[in-house]
Amino acid sequence: MALPIRPTLQAVRKFAVAQAQCRFYSAPTDGSIPAAKQRFVSNEGIYPKGFVVGSAHAGVKPSNTTRDDVAIVASEELCAAATFFTKNKFAAPPVTVSRNIVRKRKGSGLQGVVINSGCANAVTGKDGFADALSMSRAMDDLFGGQTESDGQIQGNDDASLGRSLVMSTGVIGQRLPIDKILSTIPKIKSKLGSSHEHWLSVAKAVMTTDTFPKLVSRQFTLPSDPNTTYTLAGFSKGAGMIHPNMATMLSVICTDVRILPAQLQEAGKDAVNESFNSITIDGDTSTNDSLAIFANGAATPPSSNGIEEFKGPDFKHFRKELKALAADLAKLVVLDGEGATKFVTIRVKAASVADGRIVGRSIAVSPLVKTALYGKDANWGRILCAIGNVRNPVIDPSSVSVSFDIPGTKSGHLSLVEKGRPQLPIDEAVAKQILDEEAVTINVDLISDSSVEGFYSTVWTCDLSHEYITINGDYRT
């Protein structure tokens, strides 16, 4: 009888390393898009007039030898901008530089944004600020530099004030290879364009642990002028370190509507609250989270007096369109959550939208809830614990109801808890059917009186898998 061959210690170690490097839900090492994620990638799009975009390879991260990692989005004419940034105390230099430019220019007279991936330029001190400023100025130079009257028009006495915002994403605490980036920015000029391929290349260039580029566009008309078509388009990057307080990591949205900066900021704030601030992947807010919305008015008819200030129905409709596009981008970020296998919608009925959002976030960031969903375990006790951990608003346990939507039905749901009472026995067969799906919806009702209308809030999140640990365990290597 032959004895079994015992593997050597070296062979065991090699097998362990191979297993550790086997990623099922993360981006393939060759840069291709996983088959399961290809359906989320736009194959076509219509983009706003007067904007050009492009990208090139600089090699910001030494391991990146071929992929584009520097990108530009620019308006051909100076435009208005609304911006939203991270609340993290260690906000990166690109965030501070961009915030200062928009504040001093009062949201107008902006050219666009230059972005690099592979290095966040965060926690890099004065050198990091100098690098961010040099990127802004390099893009200004690309489009003719700043004129003397430019600052005067904005009421600024700062002659060095730039017109281009800066965004960076990647590893924290490392200096940018700034010489590589500055030598690459001029090369992008010959690659600028407005086609779908140009926009897709930029969406790819800003990726880090993302598995697919996140790009969406939509067209609309305004009630006062149904004969003129306007366009919104945007891209986002983000797969980890995602949590409310400007949770998108990086995003850029452009439109050819003409609108005052103050109104663009107002519409943007509304859109952000119901999109990027309603998602979470792992409960960590980044040092670099930034969203810029640019509006250049290029689609305004020449014969028109222009839309300097939206009135009534026009402004309401624009806000609706912007909110819808932002929500689409935010959902794509969650669909690409690091290691995620499920897209989870948490819908909460509460006394206010703010109360519902707090409860929804508590459920969404709970590792126990997220791992139960990954394990396809209808462990409603973990959901209740996450709800009960909320201190404000005050929650009455006897008023809480929890259920899962049943897929394939319009209104069917599996009741787990009804007004504080568990609905036993749980139909495990139906629970398995629900949790076998890629999309799961959790419903929470905090109001015991069914006659009270209440307010609904929605938070989008994902599950937490073994793969999340693998991706983040060797992020820098």
Side-chain angles (χ1 to χ4, degrees):
M1 178 178 178
L3 294 175
I5 298 174
R6 298 187 64 180
T8 64
L9 181 59
Q10 184 179 14
V12 171
R13 285 174 174 168
K14 284 184 178 180
F15 177 77
V17 170
Q19 287 293 95
Q21 293 176 341
C22 183
R23 297 180 170 183
F24 298 98
Y25 302 106
S26 55
T29 55
D30 62 1
S32 62
I33 299 170
K37 302 292 182 71
Q38 288 176 1
R39 68 185 188 275
F40 302 131
V41 181
S42 302
N43 294 317
E44 59 183 3
I46 302 175
Y47 299 96
K49 297 177 181 178
F51 285 96
V52 290
V53 302
S55 63
H57 171 258
V60 175
K61 200 171 184 177
S63 59
N64 174 24
T65 57
T66 58
R67 187 175 66 82
D68 286 2
D69 51 6
V70 178
I72 282 176
V73 176
S75 176
E76 294 174 324
E77 300 291 336
L78 298 184
C79 64
T83 50
F84 304 86
F85 299 105
T86 182
K87 302 292 194 301
N88 193 293
K89 295 295 190 298
F90 287 94
V95 169
T96 302
V97 167
S98 296
R99 183 189 287 123
N100 289 342
I101 289 173
V102 174
R103 182 184 296 136
K104 291 178 179 179
R105 288 190 169 275
K106 300 178 182 179
S108 62
L110 278 300
Q111 191 80 67
V113 61
V114 56
I115 310 168
N116 77 271
S117 62
C119 178
N121 188 14
V123 199
T124 46
K126 292 182 179 180
D127 290 333
F129 282 97
D131 291 343
L133 281 169
S134 64
M135 287 177 63
S136 174
R137 290 166 183 162
M139 180 168 164
D140 284 351
D141 291 342
L142 202 65
F143 291 88
Q146 181 177 342
T147 64
E148 184 177 351
S149 62
D150 194 25
Q152 296 173 356
I153 290 173
Q154 302 305 321
N156 284 293
D157 56 5
D158 184 353
S160 65
L161 180 62
R163 300 190 314 265
S164 302
L165 308 187
V166 186
M167 296 182 185
S168 298
T169 181
V171 178
I172 293 171
Q174 295 182 2
R175 283 287 305 280
L176 288 172
I178 192 61
D179 291 340
K180 287 184 178 181
I181 294 174
L182 295 181
S183 64
T184 299
I185 290 174
K187 298 176 184 177
I188 299 177
K189 189 167 186 178
S190 63
K191 298 183 176 184
L192 292 173
S194 56
S195 70
H196 174 70
E197 288 69 28
H198 285 96
W199 280 84
L200 190 61
S201 75
V202 167
K204 289 179 178 178
V206 301
M207 292 166 51
T208 51
T209 58
D210 306 61
T211 65
F212 66 91
K214 303 160 186 66
L215 172 65
V216 296
S217 62
R218 62 193 297 124
Q219 290 192 307
F220 61 96
T221 60
L222 297 172
S224 67
D225 184 14
N227 296 319
T228 300
T229 300
Y230 298 95
T231 307
L232 274 162
F235 59 88
S236 291
K237 70 81 50 192
M241 200 177 278
I242 305 293
H243 187 63
N245 266 343
M246 205 33 253
T248 177
M249 275 295 284
L250 299 183
S251 188
V252 176
I253 296 174
C254 299
T255 182
D256 45 23
V257 161
R258 181 176 295 163
I259 182 174
L260 292 174
Q263 285 193 304
L264 187 61
Q265 190 74 26
E266 181 183 346
K269 181 179 180 181
D270 188 34
V272 164
N273 283 337
E274 297 193 31
S275 59
F276 299 123
N277 278 348
S278 292
I279 65 174
T280 182
I281 289 175
D282 47 22
D284 280 316
T285 299
S286 169
T287 55
N288 290 59
D289 295 344
S290 303
L291 164 66
I293 307 172
F294 297 106
N296 65 4
T300 302
S303 58
S304 171
N305 292 326
I307 305 172
E308 287 298 339
E309 183 176 2
F310 276 129
K311 303 292 185 181
D314 280 353
F315 188 44
K316 182 178 180 180
H317 189 75
F318 174 73
R319 291 172 70 147
K320 178 183 175 182
E321 294 290 341
L322 180 60
K323 189 183 301 182
L325 182 121
D328 287 345
L329 285 173
K331 290 176 184 177
L332 288 176
V333 172
V334 174
L335 284 165
D336 200 19
E338 289 174 341
T341 69
K342 297 188 185 302
F343 179 89
V344 184
T345 300
I346 303 169
R347 189 177 297 117
V348 183
K349 180 182 179 183
S352 71
V353 171
D355 287 355
R357 190 167 290 153
I358 291 170
V359 171
R361 288 174 180 173
S362 183
I363 298 168
V365 300
S366 166
L368 291 177
V369 171
K370 294 164 84 70
T371 50
L373 291 169
Y374 172 63
K376 303 179 182 180
D377 179 9
N379 194 336
W380 52 266
R382 293 183 176 183
I383 298 173
L384 286 186
C385 283
I387 297 170
N389 283 329
V390 173
R391 293 294 174 263
N392 187 18
V394 176
I395 294 170
D396 177 7
S398 65
S399 299
V400 177
S401 298
V402 178
S403 66
F404 286 144
D405 277 359
I406 299 176
T409 66
K410 288 186 177 181
S411 57
H413 64 274
L414 176 64
S415 180
L416 304 172
V417 178
E418 190 69 32
K419 295 182 180 179
R421 298 179 181 178
Q423 302 300 289
L424 301 174
I426 299 295
D427 190 328
E428 295 294 344
V430 175
K432 184 179 185 305
Q433 174 194 350
I434 292 169
L435 296 177
D436 274 342
E437 297 289 325
E438 286 183 324
V440 176
T441 298
I442 301 171
N443 302 298
V444 176
D445 190 344
L446 304 177
I447 301 176
S448 60
D449 187 349
S450 58
S451 65
V452 177
E453 186 173 350
F455 296 87
Y456 287 89
S457 301
T458 300
V459 174
W460 296 295
T461 189
C462 56
D463 57 348
L464 182 62
S465 70
H466 302 87
E467 197 69 10
Y468 179 87
I469 307 300
T470 302
I471 293 169
N472 285 282
D474 63 4
Y475 179 68
R476 295 201 303 163
T477 56

